Amino acid sequence: PPPQARSPLLPNPTQPYGREEDFLGWVGTRGDPTRGRWPRGRRPAPPQPIMPGMQELMEGLRAAWNSGDGQNVGRAFYLPARPDQLVAEVAAALKTGQNSEALATQVFGGGIPFAGVFEAHLNALGALGKGSWANAFGHVHDAFERFGALLKAATEPEDVEFFLPALKVLARDLTVAATKADAGVEGSKHLRKAEIALKNTFNAMMKDRSGARKPALLFVAAQLFQVYSRLNNIPFAKTLVKTLARPSTLEGVRQLKADTITYNYYCGRLFVFEDQFAEAERYLSYAFAKCHRGAVGNKRRILAYLVPVRILLGQMPTEQLLAKYQLPHFLGVCRGIRTGDLRLFESALADHQELFIRQGNFLILERTRRLCHRSLVKKVQRVAGYGPDNTRVRLGDLENAFRFLGA
Amino acid sequence: LCMEMCPAAEVQLRENHREIEAFERPFRGDEAAARNDYGVEPCPGLPVKKYQRSAADHKLNRPEEVRPPAVLHRTEDYLERYVLDSDLVPQDERFARPKVGKISADLLEDVYMFYWNRNRMVRKDFLLQNFTGGGRVSSLAMNVLERSARCLILFEHLLGDNADFRRMHLEQNEKQLNETLTACMAQYTGARAAHGNGVGDNSADYLRVLATTGLASPFEPELTAYYVAFHIRNRITVSYFLKELAPGLRKHPAVQEALRAFTAMHSEDWAQYFRILRTTPNLILRCLLSFADKLAFVRETAVESLNAARDVPIAAVAEWLLFEDEKRHCERLHGGVAQMARSPVKVVTTAPKAGAAKMTPLSTKAKMTTPSKSRLHIQTGRASPHFSGAGRDYASCGSPISIADPLMMHQSAASNSFEPVLVRKRARELRQMTRRENLVPAVPFIYGTGGGARTTSSNNKVFANNATLFDESNNNDDVTDGLFCSVIAYGDK
């Protein structure tokens, strides 16, 4: 039986992924969920994550705070992407006149600065209940700032270790809220504010001499990457990469594998953008290899960049892979390059041009046109009867081939 | 608000400081307008507001000095019709200066300086009224910005051989072109955002905006293509720009063409780049793509890849890389190769053979047409000094497209003589034109553009009768407004 959740708060950390519906089958089993497992037979569905109401949230938070469990304290601050029961409850409570400050002190007892962070979080949830992401972002930003002040004041390494998971969750909240607040609006002031806040945090973590804050660098960097790509400004992240690439920065620092993978993915994307394909391939392959086997969505995202880079470096993906991870837009391109079918290649590029431009793969795939030409030339050589003794292909033949394919 | 092309206070001020330029003076035969014989008076109605920077004591956004969009449109019309081709008018005595010995504005540079300066002030007036950036949107602003961009591109192309221009004005021109194109794009996105499409909705078709609001310009795809072509070397800018384009706009053939040139440049496909350059019917795109830095870059990549071959016939290379004549090309090639410090190109300097069509090109994608030297030279009506240099030219292959043959055009135009009588008549026309009633002269335009006024909104009914004589009737996209409007005889697209 799957292990029990360790806390009443969501999400269940032991089974964050791995839903039955997502499973596409081990390679070669064609989507059959019962094959390749022991004992055979349908397994029961994993438990749904528990959505706490407000009372449970507060109780769980108090329990975690008192027991010194930083992970669960952080988990209390997840901002739901869609308004749900928790949000509704909080909004109702706030509307009936209960003060969020009072609620926060109720959780922690008086005189603890952490209560301020929780109060701002409650305000954010209340604003979400009213449906305004801009206000919610304001409160989340507030929470983040207060938390930053708290973290700066914390001097002992145990305290810092206690607070770091909450920082991760709050950074993610900040990014999500900024994205949603800027969704329909022109200009991206929320994202810019978020960027400034995250950058300050990053610098503060860097400056800490005791090194207790260094594990935070990776996930703050990951959020910063996310913000920069939403701001359409990926080259700004170069400074982050330079800082983190220095061996002295992350030496001897305990890092979560998840953070490393995320960071590698973003780093690889940055290198793809800057045309450094060897480096990009290294980072993206590492991320893909170390990714959790059930995290199909994340693997798909990594593959969206890894596939074009590998094509350019000469390694073609199999059609099984593209089918497994649902990347049909690469099918036409790959088949065109493999068989030298220029018409198919061009039509595939034209069909999915929007998608490629949005992902930023457009230029890479245009470069693979050379490989397509190469395959075509090889084919012409084979077909038109040039053997090992007669290697000089007449250009007229090649020209005919290209004209035939509509070049 | 100032309803004239130049506020009266400024005219007076400049007259006192003797800063009236030659273009703003009355004509020699026009005694009624001139107040004295020396001709330093401005002809009433001719002066245009000069470009000034805002200083501490001289605020530019005073309402009595700022011209509203309609006046700015009228100013741009005036500049394009009566100023731009002035260098082709012989015997314009306003420029007669015994010391210098000029009898007409026979230097393109004079025209350029005047036009550039005044056009910059027009755009600055738009800026002062919040029409650029994220502010107000207007079809008049769009129209003026588009035409300014086209003129700036054409000027850079035409003056590119001039060493003085390259030394002093090239960067400024490019900077202004950059600003104009950016402002134009901002207007387009502003129009989209303001009229119900929202920024996040990228699936809106621009034709729908055009139909419903009248705030969209029919030249939007053309200008988008120019933006892409201007920033063609900057991969990041163009990638992000493409991401934000609406799909309807991106699928337009003009934009697709610029996109093909962009991919050709960045995948080092010089043959494709030159093919687009040779065969696009859009003249201004040709001008853009043959800017010095872009062309030099693509030529460098071409020479690098051609280095791998054993024998390169120089005639073929001259044709592929669109050099004007072979001798210069040979020098440049050797000079360039010496700079690149690779193994030198073994260039075969034989005369081109008659059967040169059989010569094997190195890129299989280059279609070998019969190289005919006559087509390599640009067919223009201008004197050759403008185009004798290397590197700033484009060949017209296929059907002979004459980009600008004003002499031919003039001879075939309706009323067509260069007598001073016409100059006087023209002065009268000008005075009429600059009256408040915005009368249009009944005499057909001799020089250049009839298609200057685009009427996209009902504000401009006054100009409706203007867009007649040498108007573009069918293809809006490829008409080059402003300078050589009435010329265009296309090959097939």
Side-chain angles (χ1 to χ4, degrees), chain B residues 331-386:
Chain B
E331 293 162 17
R332 276 176 59 91
L333 208 52
H334 285 297
V337 166
Q339 279 171 19
M340 283 192 296
R342 286 173 194 264
S343 61
V345 173
K346 299 195 200 73
V347 176
V348 174
T349 51
T350 55
K353 303 176 195 152
K358 300 252 180 54
M359 286 285 190
T360 62
L362 290 159
S363 158
T364 57
K365 284 188 77 97
K367 293 188 187 161
M368 280 308 289
T369 57
T370 328
S372 70
K373 284 186 64 175
S374 60
R375 281 201 236 119
L376 277 179
H377 298 294
I378 295 163
Q379 303 170 4
T380 64
R382 292 190 187 280
S384 55
H386 287 296

Side-chain angles (χ1 to χ4, degrees), chain B residues 10-205:
Chain B
E10 181 178 327
V11 176
Q12 191 60 43
L13 186 72
R14 282 206 277 142
E15 190 180 333
N16 293 340
H17 290 278
R18 305 291 179 98
E19 277 177 11
I20 305 287
E21 303 211 9
F23 290 93
E24 297 168 329
R25 297 197 194 128
F27 298 96
R28 181 56 72 84
D30 200 358
E31 281 86 12
R35 277 179 270 156
N36 61 20
D37 287 335
Y38 299 110
V40 289
E41 302 283 335
C43 177
L46 284 192
V48 188
K49 194 169 168 201
K50 192 170 175 172
Y51 178 72
Q52 298 132 16
R53 299 195 152 84
S54 45
D57 59 341
H58 177 60
K59 292 257 179 284
L60 280 182
N61 48 1
R62 281 193 291 224
E64 64 268 10
E65 297 209 349
V66 167
R67 301 169 281 181
V71 177
L72 289 169
H73 191 139
R74 179 154 56 94
T75 311
E76 182 74 18
D77 274 345
Y78 164 74
L79 284 175
E80 282 175 8
R81 286 173 203 169
Y82 295 96
V83 168
L84 274 192
D85 279 336
S86 300
D87 55 326
L88 301 171
V89 182
Q91 303 291 328
D92 188 353
E93 292 97 354
R94 295 185 295 177
F95 298 89
R97 292 203 282 273
K99 278 190 280 185
V100 182
K102 285 201 279 193
I103 31 176
S104 64
D106 56 359
L107 292 178
L108 194 56
E109 286 86 5
D110 282 342
V111 175
Y112 168 72
M113 292 307 298
F114 185 74
Y115 172 81
W116 194 81
N117 187 290
R118 301 316 194 247
N119 178 255
R120 197 167 173 194
M121 194 62 211
V122 164
R123 279 184 281 118
K124 181 133 193 185
D125 269 345
F126 272 119
L127 183 76
L128 289 168
Q129 296 171 72
N130 205 14
F131 275 104
T132 54
R136 293 157 70 182
V137 178
S138 151
S139 59
L140 283 172
M142 280 188 206
N143 194 280
V144 169
L145 284 170
E146 286 162 7
R147 284 147 69 178
S148 309
R150 290 196 194 107
C151 284
L152 288 172
I153 297 169
L154 284 170
F155 267 123
E156 178 155 356
H157 176 83
L158 290 172
L159 290 170
D161 292 323
N162 199 333
D164 283 336
F165 175 80
R166 271 206 301 262
R167 204 171 9 119
M168 293 193 297
H169 299 299
L170 185 63
E171 290 136 14
Q172 290 178 28
N173 203 27
E174 295 219 334
K175 187 158 146 304
Q176 289 302 308
L177 181 55
N178 191 8
E179 285 181 20
T180 312
L181 285 172
T182 317
C184 211
M185 297 299 130
Q187 288 276 307
Y188 293 143
T189 41
R192 253 169 234 273
H195 287 269
N197 296 333
V199 175
D201 177 10
N202 270 336
S203 60
D205 194 8

Side-chain angles (χ1 to χ4, degrees), chain A residues 123-167:
Chain A
N123 284 334
L125 291 177
L128 262 197
K130 294 195 195 100
S132 142
W133 273 105
N135 293 342
F137 173 75
H139 292 299
V140 171
H141 188 253
D142 205 13
F144 193 76
E145 302 267 284
R146 291 184 192 174
F147 192 78
L150 217 101
L151 204 50
K152 221 186 287 199
T155 40
E156 306 190 18
E158 295 93 33
D159 284 347
V160 172
E161 218 180 292
F162 175 65
F163 281 130
L164 278 188
L167 179 65

Side-chain angles (χ1 to χ4, degrees), chain A residues 66 81 84 95 112 185 260 269 280 293 302 335 348 383 385 399:
Chain A
N66 292 333
D84 59 347
K95 216 184 300 190
I112 299 192
V185 183
T260 316
R269 235 173 54 162
R293 72 162 61 127
I302 300 175
R335 200 173 288 154
V383 161
E399 201 178 335

Side-chain angles (χ1 to χ4, degrees), chain A residues 186 232 234 273 353-354 363, chain B residues 193 235 240 244 250 256:
Chain A
E186 198 181 323
N232 272 344
I234 293 189
F273 213 73
Q353 200 187 60
E354 281 180 47
L363 277 179
Chain B
R235 202 168 23 99
Y240 281 134
E244 320 230 317
R250 189 179 51 228
Q256 284 289 320

